[in-house]
Short mmCIF file of all heavy atoms in Angstrom, two decimals:
data_model
loop_
_atom_site.label_atom_id
_atom_site.label_comp_id
_atom_site.label_asym_id
_atom_site.label_seq_id
_atom_site.Cartn_x
_atom_site.Cartn_y
_atom_site.Cartn_z
N ILE A 1362 -20.12 15.25 -7.23
CA ILE A 1362 -18.75 15.07 -7.64
C ILE A 1362 -17.78 15.16 -6.45
O ILE A 1362 -18.04 15.78 -5.47
CB ILE A 1362 -18.43 16.06 -8.81
CG1 ILE A 1362 -17.23 15.60 -9.57
CG2 ILE A 1362 -18.22 17.38 -8.30
CD1 ILE A 1362 -17.07 16.19 -11.01
N GLY A 1363 -16.52 14.66 -6.65
CA GLY A 1363 -15.55 14.71 -5.57
C GLY A 1363 -16.11 13.96 -4.35
O GLY A 1363 -16.70 12.89 -4.41
N GLY A 1364 -16.04 14.68 -3.20
CA GLY A 1364 -16.56 14.01 -1.88
C GLY A 1364 -17.96 13.74 -1.96
O GLY A 1364 -18.53 12.91 -1.24
N SER A 1365 -18.77 14.43 -2.85
CA SER A 1365 -20.16 14.12 -2.95
C SER A 1365 -20.53 12.96 -3.78
O SER A 1365 -21.67 12.69 -4.20
CB SER A 1365 -20.95 15.46 -3.43
OG SER A 1365 -20.75 16.39 -2.39
N ALA A 1413 -26.32 15.86 -4.47
CA ALA A 1413 -25.41 15.90 -3.29
C ALA A 1413 -24.31 16.94 -3.69
O ALA A 1413 -23.61 16.86 -4.52
CB ALA A 1413 -24.71 14.56 -3.14
N SER A 1414 -24.47 18.04 -2.91
CA SER A 1414 -23.46 19.06 -3.08
C SER A 1414 -23.27 19.85 -1.88
O SER A 1414 -24.31 20.56 -1.48
CB SER A 1414 -23.75 19.97 -4.36
OG SER A 1414 -22.76 20.95 -4.44
N LYS A 1415 -22.18 19.95 -1.25
CA LYS A 1415 -22.06 20.70 -0.08
C LYS A 1415 -22.45 22.19 -0.31
O LYS A 1415 -23.18 22.76 0.41
CB LYS A 1415 -20.67 20.54 0.45
CG LYS A 1415 -20.31 21.32 1.76
CD LYS A 1415 -18.88 21.03 2.17
CE LYS A 1415 -18.47 22.06 3.39
NZ LYS A 1415 -17.25 21.77 3.82
N THR A 1416 -21.90 22.70 -1.37
CA THR A 1416 -22.15 24.13 -1.70
C THR A 1416 -23.31 24.42 -2.47
O THR A 1416 -23.79 25.52 -2.59
CB THR A 1416 -20.91 24.60 -2.50
OG1 THR A 1416 -20.76 23.82 -3.69
CG2 THR A 1416 -19.59 24.56 -1.67
N PHE A 1417 -23.76 23.44 -3.34
CA PHE A 1417 -24.83 23.61 -4.23
C PHE A 1417 -24.54 24.55 -5.24
O PHE A 1417 -25.38 25.25 -5.88
CB PHE A 1417 -26.18 23.79 -3.58
CG PHE A 1417 -27.32 22.89 -4.18
CD1 PHE A 1417 -27.38 21.61 -3.79
CD2 PHE A 1417 -28.24 23.44 -4.97
CE1 PHE A 1417 -28.42 20.85 -4.29
CE2 PHE A 1417 -29.29 22.58 -5.52
CZ PHE A 1417 -29.35 21.23 -5.14
N THR A 1418 -23.27 24.67 -5.58
CA THR A 1418 -22.85 25.73 -6.68
C THR A 1418 -21.84 25.01 -7.59
O THR A 1418 -21.53 25.63 -8.60
CB THR A 1418 -22.17 26.86 -6.04
OG1 THR A 1418 -21.06 26.48 -5.33
CG2 THR A 1418 -23.12 27.75 -5.12
N THR A 1419 -21.46 23.82 -7.26
CA THR A 1419 -20.43 23.18 -8.04
C THR A 1419 -20.96 23.00 -9.61
O THR A 1419 -21.99 22.38 -9.78
CB THR A 1419 -20.03 21.73 -7.47
OG1 THR A 1419 -19.58 22.07 -6.13
CG2 THR A 1419 -18.91 21.01 -8.26
N THR A 1422 -22.00 19.49 -10.99
CA THR A 1422 -23.15 18.95 -10.43
C THR A 1422 -24.39 19.75 -10.79
O THR A 1422 -25.50 19.18 -11.06
CB THR A 1422 -22.94 19.01 -8.81
OG1 THR A 1422 -21.84 18.16 -8.55
CG2 THR A 1422 -24.14 18.39 -8.12
N GLY A 1474 -15.85 17.91 2.29
CA GLY A 1474 -16.52 17.19 1.25
C GLY A 1474 -15.88 15.78 1.22
O GLY A 1474 -16.70 14.78 1.17
N ARG A 1475 -14.67 15.67 1.34
CA ARG A 1475 -14.08 14.22 1.18
C ARG A 1475 -14.17 13.47 2.42
O ARG A 1475 -13.81 12.30 2.38
CB ARG A 1475 -12.55 14.44 0.74
CG ARG A 1475 -11.69 15.37 1.70
CD ARG A 1475 -10.47 15.75 0.97
NE ARG A 1475 -9.67 16.70 1.68
CZ ARG A 1475 -9.78 17.98 1.64
NH1 ARG A 1475 -10.72 18.57 0.85
NH2 ARG A 1475 -9.04 18.84 2.27
N GLN A 1556 -8.80 11.21 -3.46
CA GLN A 1556 -9.27 12.45 -2.98
C GLN A 1556 -8.93 12.76 -1.48
O GLN A 1556 -8.48 13.77 -1.14
CB GLN A 1556 -10.67 12.62 -3.25
CG GLN A 1556 -11.17 14.03 -3.00
CD GLN A 1556 -12.63 14.28 -2.85
OE1 GLN A 1556 -13.42 13.39 -2.73
NE2 GLN A 1556 -13.09 15.58 -2.79
N GLU A 1560 -6.11 15.52 -1.91
CA GLU A 1560 -6.83 16.88 -1.77
C GLU A 1560 -6.43 17.44 -0.38
O GLU A 1560 -6.44 18.68 -0.19
CB GLU A 1560 -8.31 16.80 -1.94
CG GLU A 1560 -8.89 18.06 -2.23
CD GLU A 1560 -10.31 18.08 -2.74
OE1 GLU A 1560 -11.31 17.89 -1.97
OE2 GLU A 1560 -10.65 18.21 -4.00
N GLN A 1712 -8.71 23.24 0.44
CA GLN A 1712 -8.39 22.75 -0.94
C GLN A 1712 -8.40 23.91 -1.83
O GLN A 1712 -9.02 23.87 -2.89
CB GLN A 1712 -9.31 21.54 -1.39
CG GLN A 1712 -10.82 21.89 -1.36
CD GLN A 1712 -11.49 21.96 0.00
OE1 GLN A 1712 -11.19 21.07 0.81
NE2 GLN A 1712 -12.25 22.96 0.24
N VAL A 1715 -7.93 23.78 -5.77
CA VAL A 1715 -8.80 23.36 -6.93
C VAL A 1715 -9.63 24.54 -7.48
O VAL A 1715 -10.37 24.48 -8.42
CB VAL A 1715 -9.87 22.36 -6.38
CG1 VAL A 1715 -9.21 21.12 -5.95
CG2 VAL A 1715 -10.70 22.98 -5.30
N GLU A 1716 -9.34 25.76 -6.90
CA GLU A 1716 -10.11 26.95 -7.19
C GLU A 1716 -9.71 27.62 -8.60
O GLU A 1716 -10.60 28.01 -9.35
CB GLU A 1716 -10.01 27.99 -6.14
CG GLU A 1716 -10.68 27.57 -4.79
CD GLU A 1716 -12.17 27.18 -5.05
OE1 GLU A 1716 -12.86 27.72 -5.80
OE2 GLU A 1716 -12.53 26.13 -4.30
N LYS A 1719 -11.27 26.15 -11.68
CA LYS A 1719 -12.71 26.52 -11.70
C LYS A 1719 -12.91 27.93 -12.30
O LYS A 1719 -13.81 28.07 -13.10
CB LYS A 1719 -13.30 26.37 -10.39
CG LYS A 1719 -13.43 24.95 -9.74
CD LYS A 1719 -14.19 25.08 -8.44
CE LYS A 1719 -14.05 23.79 -7.53
NZ LYS A 1719 -14.61 23.89 -6.25
O1 LIG B 2803 -13.33 20.55 -6.35
C1 LIG B 2803 -13.06 20.31 -5.01
C2 LIG B 2803 -14.35 20.12 -4.21
O2 LIG B 2803 -14.63 21.39 -3.48
C3 LIG B 2803 -14.18 18.93 -3.29
O3 LIG B 2803 -13.53 19.29 -2.08
C4 LIG B 2803 -15.63 18.57 -3.06
O4 LIG B 2803 -15.73 17.22 -2.44
C5 LIG B 2803 -16.23 18.74 -4.41
O5 LIG B 2803 -15.45 19.86 -4.94
C6 LIG B 2803 -17.65 18.80 -4.50
O6 LIG B 2803 -18.19 19.92 -3.82
P1 LIG B 2803 -19.65 20.11 -3.57
O7 LIG B 2803 -20.06 19.08 -2.66
O8 LIG B 2803 -19.76 21.46 -2.90
O9 LIG B 2803 -20.37 20.08 -4.81
#
Side-chain angles (χ1 to χ4, degrees):
I1362 198 163
S1365 299
S1414 177
K1415 180 174 168 179
T1416 55
F1417 227 74
T1418 57
T1419 303
T1422 299
R1475 52 195 176 273
Q1556 188 197 10
E1560 199 166 80
Q1712 56 284 318
V1715 300
E1716 294 305 323
K1719 289 184 194 173

